[in-house]
Amino acid sequence: MSERPAGTRWKTLDSDLNRISIVEYASAQISRPLVAPGIGLAFIAVASLLAAVFFGHAPVNFVVVAAAGLGAYMALNIGANDVANNMGPAVGANALSMTAALVIAAVFESAGALLAGGDVVTTISQGIIAPSAMRSQDVFIWAMMAALISSALWVNLATWIGAPVSTTHAVVGGVVGAGAAAAGVAAVNWAMIGTIAASWVISPVLGGGIAAALLAFINARIIYREDKVAAARIWVPVLVGVMAGTFATYMLLKGLSRLMTTGPGLAAGVGIGFGVIIWLLTIPLIRRRSQGLENRESALRGLFGLPLVISAALLSFAHGANDVANAVGPLAAIVHAVGSGGHGEGMVVIPSWVMVIGAFGISFGLFLFGPRLINMVGNEITKLNPIRAFCVALSAAFTVIVASWLGLPVSSTHIAIGGVFGVGFFREWLMERRLRHMGHGPPKPITIAREERARRRLVRRSHFMTIIAAWVITVPAAALISAAIFFGLRTVLG
C-alpha cells in the first residue's frame, strides 16, 4: 500500500486543524448570547436556595421558594430596564464610559436598596387590593405570584423591544389584574389607579418641560453670550448649587425616607442651605477650571461633567431605595402571608434576605442586560452632551420634588425619558425658529420643505412612538396577563 507524501500529510493535518478551529469559533459565537441568560438563571436558583435556607420554616415551603425565584427574575428585569433612565444620559454625553456607568449604578442601586429601600412595599402589597377581600390565604398568594410573573414578563418584553417602561406601573398592573380576578373588580382601589393613569401624562410633560426650560436658560445666559467663559464663571456655580440643593431635598424626601422622616418644609430648608454652601465652594473651582478655555460652547461642556456624574449616582441611589419594592413587594407579601398564616393583613416586615434578593438582582440585571437600553436612552433618542444631560438629570430630581409638594402622581422613569425628549424637541423647535428667521432665497415647494424638515428632526420618531405606546399599555397589558396567570394557577393548584 502506497504512502502519501509527507507534504500531503501536513496539508491534511493543517486542513483538519483549521476545520476544528472554525467549529470552535462558531461554537463560541453561538454560546456567547447564552452566557447572560445562564448567569441570570443561576442567580434565580441562588435566590430560591436563599429562601429555602433563611425562611425559617420546616419543612421547606416551596411556595416561598418559588416566589423568591420570581422576585429575583423581576429584580433582574428592573436592572435591565429601569436603571437605564439614570445612567443613559451620562453615557450618551460621554461623561461616563459604559463600564464606569455600570459599576457606579450597581454600587449606588444596591446601597439605596439595602440602606433605604422598602418603605413602599406595603403600598404594593396592600394599597391596591385589600388582602381582606381575598377569600383565603391561598387565593392571596396566587394573586401575588401572578402579579410577579406578569410584571416580570412585561418588563422583559419591553426591554427586548427597546422601550424603557415604568416597572412600578407594571407591578401595579399585575396586582390589579390578579386582584380583580381573585376578588372582583369592586375590590380594586380605583382612586389609586386613576392617579397612576394621570402620571402617564403628568410625568413626561413635567420632566420634558423643566428640562427644556433649563436648556433654554443655559442657552440664554451662557451659550449665546459674547463672552461665554465669563458667563460660565457666574452661572455654572449657580447651576451646580441649584443641583446640589435639589438633590439634597430629593434624597431627604425619597432616597432616605426609610432612614429618617422629614417633612417637605424641613427638606427644602436643608436643600437650600446645602445648595448655598456648594455654590460658594464651586465659584473658585469653576474659575480655576475655566482658565484658558476657548470662547466656544464645546469648551464649556467639560464644566458640567462632574456634576452630571454625581447626579447620576444619586439618582441611582434613590431609584434603588424606591423601586426595589417593585421586585420584593409581592414577594414580601407572600412571605408575610405564609409566615403569619393569614391573608397578608397588617404591617409587612421585610426580611433581610428578601432585600438582598432585590438589591443584588437589580445589579445583576444591570450588568447582564442593561447596556442595550442605556445605549438607547443615551444615544438613540436624541443627541446628548454634558449640558443637555445635566438638564435631564436636574429635571428628574426637581420634577419629583415639585410633584411631591403638589401631591401629583409621577413616575421617575417617565420623568427621565420625558426630559430626554424635552431637550430634543426644544432643540428641534429652536432650529425651526432659526430657519424661519433666516429667510434665504425664494420659498421651496411644500414636498421639498417637508423632506428637509424630516431630515432635520433631532428626535427619532420611531423610538418616541414605541416608548409612548409601551407606556400607555403597560398597566392594562400587565393586568390582563396577570389575570390569565391567576386563573391558570387556580385551575392547576386549586
Side-chain angles (χ1 to χ4, degrees):
M1 188 171 66
S2 62
E3 270 190 31
R4 286 181 296 175
T8 304
R9 290 198 302 272
W10 284 114
K11 286 181 180 178
T12 303
L13 181 59
D14 289 343
S15 177
D16 292 340
L17 290 174
N18 188 47
R19 289 194 188 98
I20 293 172
S21 65
I22 291 173
V23 170
E24 289 178 344
Y25 177 77
S27 301
Q29 292 298 108
I30 293 171
S31 61
R32 185 174 298 172
L34 302 177
V35 173
I39 296 175
L41 288 173
F43 174 75
I44 292 172
V46 170
S48 299
L49 180 62
L50 200 66
V53 172
F54 288 99
F55 180 54
H57 283 62
V60 174
N61 190 297
F62 290 101
V63 171
V64 173
V65 170
L70 293 173
Y73 175 47
M74 181 59 183
L76 289 171
N77 283 290
I78 291 173
N81 190 291
D82 230 13
V83 182
N85 309 320
N86 303 324
M87 286 297 164
V91 172
N94 294 320
L96 282 174
S97 66
M98 182 65 75
T99 302
L102 292 173
V103 172
I104 291 173
V107 170
F108 281 86
E109 288 277 341
S110 299
L114 293 174
L115 297 178
D119 60 322
V120 293
V121 167
T122 302
T123 301
I124 294 293
S125 61
Q126 299 179 4
I128 300 167
I129 300 287
S132 58
M134 304 293 179
R135 292 189 300 273
S136 66
Q137 181 197 54
D138 288 342
V139 171
F140 177 76
I141 290 174
W142 296 340
M144 291 296 106
M145 294 274 273
L148 263 179
I149 297 170
S150 64
S151 55
L153 288 175
W154 177 252
V155 176
N156 198 337
L157 175 63
T159 305
W160 182 69
I161 65 175
V165 297
S166 171
T167 54
T168 302
H169 288 183
V171 174
V172 167
V175 174
V176 167
V185 176
V188 178
N189 185 345
W190 291 110
M192 178 175 287
I193 302 305
T195 61
I196 291 169
S199 74
W200 295 340
V201 178
I202 295 171
S203 300
V205 170
L206 271 177
I210 292 175
L214 287 169
L215 184 57
F217 179 85
I218 292 174
N219 284 343
R221 295 296 177 181
I222 300 176
I223 305 304
Y224 297 156
R225 295 289 178 173
E226 185 174 347
D227 191 342
K228 296 177 175 57
V229 175
R233 288 172 179 169
I234 296 172
W235 287 108
V236 171
V238 173
L239 290 169
V240 173
V242 170
M243 183 205 76
T246 302
F247 271 97
T249 307
Y250 179 88
M251 295 300 290
L252 287 173
L253 289 177
K254 290 291 181 180
L256 300 174
S257 55
R258 190 186 177 201
L259 298 179
M260 62 181 72
T261 303
T262 55
L266 178 59
V270 172
I272 291 171
F274 188 70
V276 170
I277 293 172
I278 296 300
W279 166 57
L280 294 173
L281 293 175
T282 306
I283 292 174
L285 295 177
I286 294 298
R287 187 170 296 276
R288 283 200 299 270
R289 290 198 61 189
S290 61
Q291 293 292 335
L293 286 181
E294 296 182 41
N295 192 35
R296 296 187 298 130
E297 177 187 354
S298 58
L300 301 178
R301 293 172 184 170
L303 300 178
F304 291 85
L306 182 59
L308 177 58
V309 173
I310 295 173
S311 67
L314 293 177
L315 282 173
S316 293
F317 183 92
H319 177 269
N322 285 274
D323 280 26
V324 69
N326 298 333
V328 303
L331 170 58
I334 292 171
V335 172
H336 178 69
V338 173
S340 65
H343 292 189
E345 299 96 340
M347 183 65 184
V348 177
V349 179
I350 310 168
S352 299
W353 62 268
V354 172
M355 293 302 297
V356 168
I357 289 174
F360 283 93
I362 290 175
S363 297
F364 271 107
L366 170 67
F367 270 107
L368 297 175
F369 309 106
R372 182 185 176 210
L373 231 62
I374 289 177
N375 182 66
M376 193 277 288
V377 171
N379 295 309
E380 296 182 13
I381 294 176
T382 191
K383 187 176 181 180
L384 295 173
N385 60 32
I387 295 175
R388 298 166 200 154
F390 175 86
C391 294
V392 173
L394 182 54
S395 168
F398 191 69
T399 303
V400 170
I401 293 171
V402 172
S404 299
W405 200 291
L406 298 176
L408 298 174
V410 292
S411 163
S412 59
T413 299
H414 293 192
I415 290 170
I417 302 301
V420 176
F421 283 132
V423 297
F425 283 125
F426 173 75
R427 292 176 60 229
E428 277 192 10
W429 173 81
L430 203 60
M431 183 180 61
E432 290 284 345
R433 186 165 171 263
R434 286 177 185 168
L435 291 172
R436 282 197 302 269
H437 285 286
M438 286 174 63
H440 290 309
K444 297 180 181 180
I446 294 177
T447 55
I448 297 177
R450 286 175 178 171
E451 290 176 0
E452 287 188 356
R453 187 171 287 108
R455 283 198 300 269
R456 289 196 300 264
R457 284 177 173 171
L458 302 178
V459 177
R460 289 186 63 176
R461 294 309 193 266
S462 60
H463 285 311
F464 178 75
M465 298 307 298
T466 299
I467 291 171
I468 295 299
W471 285 356
V472 170
I473 65 174
T474 288
V475 171
L480 290 173
I481 296 171
S482 182
I485 292 173
F486 172 80
F487 286 126
L489 289 174
R490 189 175 67 176
T491 301
V492 174
L493 303 176

